[in-house]
Amino acid sequence: MQKEELLHLHMLLVHVRKYYENITGEEVLTDKYASLHISPVHIHKNKISHKKAILTLGDEIVGHIRTNHTPFIEYHPELPSERVAIE
């Protein structure tokens, strides 16, 4: 992945976190991400730093959602697996 693409993905994740917080009214704690001291506008940082930031921020967003919300997907054993995969 090119550095420019990483910067775009990094910015997208920051927007996802802000959108989620605005919609739900919940704060997503991103202490690990904040400790990296990197943001999408830090274009001088290397690709490895942005990759680590992306993975850390994504992990904290998903962790918050898993901890605070039950999944909306339900499993129905009586339905054939092909039908569930299509839906």
Side-chain angles (χ1 to χ4, degrees), residues 16-18 20-22 24-31 57-65 68:
V16 166
R17 185 187 88 211
K18 289 179 182 180
Y20 177 84
E21 289 176 338
N22 286 332
T24 63
E26 301 171 3
E27 180 182 2
V28 178
L29 300 177
T30 54
D31 296 332
L57 181 57
D59 186 51
E60 288 182 315
I61 292 169
V62 169
H64 173 84
I65 294 170
N68 296 301

Side-chain angles (χ1 to χ4, degrees), residues 26-70:
E26 301 171 3
E27 180 182 2
V28 178
L29 300 177
T30 54
D31 296 332
K32 292 177 188 174
Y33 172 72
S35 72
L36 298 175
H37 303 290
I38 185 171
S39 78
V41 298
H42 293 145
I43 60 173
H44 61 281
K45 300 273 185 166
N46 61 29
K47 285 173 60 171
I48 294 170
S49 298
H50 283 285
K51 282 182 186 180
K52 186 172 182 178
I54 290 166
L55 293 174
T56 303
L57 181 57
D59 186 51
E60 288 182 315
I61 292 169
V62 169
H64 173 84
I65 294 170
R66 283 187 177 156
T67 302
N68 296 301
H69 300 280
T70 56

